[in-house]
Amino acid sequence: MPAPLEGIKVIDMTQVQSGPSCTQMLAWLGADVIKIERPGKGDQTRGELLDMESDSLYFLQLNANKRSIELNTKTAEGKEVLTKLLKDADVFIENLHPGAVDHMGFSWENVQKINPRLIYASLKGFNADSPYVDVKAYEDVAQCAGGAAATTGWWKGEYNVPTISAAALGDSNTGMHILIGILAALLHRDKTGVGQKVTQSMQDAVINLCRVKLRDQIRLDNTGTLNEYPQYPNETFGDTVPRSGNASGGAHLGWTFRCKGWETDPNAYVYMILQDTKKGWEDTCNALGKPEWLTDPKYSTHKGRAPHAFEIFKEIEEEYTLKNDKFVVSKTLGEAGIPCGPVLSMKDIQNDESLRKSGTIVEVEAADPKRGKFLTVGCTQKFSNFTPVIKTPPKLGEHTEEILKSLGYTDAQIKELHDKKVTSV
Ligand SMILES: CC(C)(COP(=O)(O)OP(=O)(O)OC[C@H]1O[C@@H](n2cnc3c(N)ncnc32)[C@H](O)[C@@H]1OP(=O)(O)O)[C@@H](O)C(=O)NCCC(=O)NCCS
């Protein structure tokens, strides 16, 4: 069975995480992804956060299954090579700083003339209508501008500060957003015969994930309170959605509960949701050995429970979770119908057998024997008719010659490009 995107050619001028996460996914799905890299340097992440003298894990985990060409697209010859590549490509994607690709002569208007069927994908920090349109952006800038930092973290005490999530909401999340746009534009091209420009800003991708916080802002405007937040009922609300620690953020109460060993293990916790439905609450009370909570009005309704949430959490901890290991708590309560899961450390995830079995965590052989096998996150979508194979990420310029030959360059011309520093430093 062919891979879903077999036959799709992607010219990839992306770097760092946002763009590469998208093009890696396109490559896993079978597209031929040609990564254009600055001669001698390549993607800036190749040399970042090094744990050994070899391509960094940062680069390796985001660039599997691609081909790499070293090409200085600021030179006349480099522009010519890129133009030839674009002629029969399906997708061009870039995430250079605002204006950089336009200055090189590869604006949407120009590229459209080279290939009207091309999907032109552009990823920036901010969208075209933003006052920050020309601003460079990284992960944290986007999390702050997208509402995530303002609504994440502790709501009182010295740690009541806007807080950045460790999850790549600004980077990989934006990559996945633009991926949706690219796939939609490819399907649209099948119907219309023409390509189009797809833009995605990092700020917008974060805002899209903060939709429920906008919901809460409107609720707060309308009612002056948010009764599933930890501030309720004893603290005051201002006029903007506050941070809410580990509160579930939904209609059901939820929190992180300490488990056995928490004194020495910072991740000995489970997250548990106290489901609000009749059956959910019954299952919870029975599993925790608290049948009396089914009739006591302080516990039996959400309205009764909400003002006492922390007293209830404390009882659950003292009488149940603190006496048990997080995996035992999760399994036992999970089997009893309670939405519950262990707080997994990265070490737990690294060693989790089921994640290896599902192909979510995979080992890949790096091109450099010094690195050997490295661990990465594989394809998280599971298909019934296709299994992505995660292949070795390219060395810088590994495919330069092969790609130039496929465009009709002779050995002598390839040498000339090399000597002129178009494909070398
Ligand atoms: C990530 C970012 C902050 C880095 O900015 P930067 O340090 O200026 O680096 P860039 O790679 O964008 O640009 C550096 C230069 O390399 C040039 N360059 C990039 N690829 C090149 C190539 N193959 N050949 C020749 N020049 C190249 C650019 O044109 C630019 O030149 P200029 O400054 O003269 O215009 C910026 O690219 C950005 O904001 N991107 C959009 C948002 C984004 O995706 N952020 C990353 C999130 S993971």
Side-chain angles (χ1 to χ4, degrees), residues 95-128:
N95 75 332
L96 302 187
H97 71 72
V101 173
D102 296 359
H103 292 149
M104 282 188 230
F106 294 95
S107 64
W108 158 233
E109 291 71 24
N110 289 348
V111 168
Q112 225 181 337
K113 287 180 204 142
I114 300 170
N115 177 358
R117 282 177 57 78
L118 192 79
I119 313 303
Y120 184 108
S122 180
L123 198 158
K124 297 283 170 269
F126 299 91
N127 72 44

Side-chain angles (χ1 to χ4, degrees), residues 13 15-18 36-38 44 71-74 95-98 100 104 123-125 136-138 171 202:
M13 245 180 128
Q15 52 171 343
V16 201
Q17 183 174 171
S18 57
I36 313 271
E37 300 197 72
R38 270 165 293 190
Q44 55 185 261
L71 191 66
N72 184 340
T73 51
K74 283 186 175 168
N95 75 332
L96 302 187
H97 71 72
M104 282 188 230
L123 198 158
K124 297 283 170 269
K136 295 183 191 181
Y138 283 103
D171 286 344
M202 295 166 71

Side-chain angles (χ1 to χ4, degrees), residues 340-352:
C340 177
V343 170
L344 295 183
S345 68
M346 288 320 293
K347 199 155 201 73
D348 291 331
I349 288 171
Q350 189 181 24
N351 297 323
D352 187 305

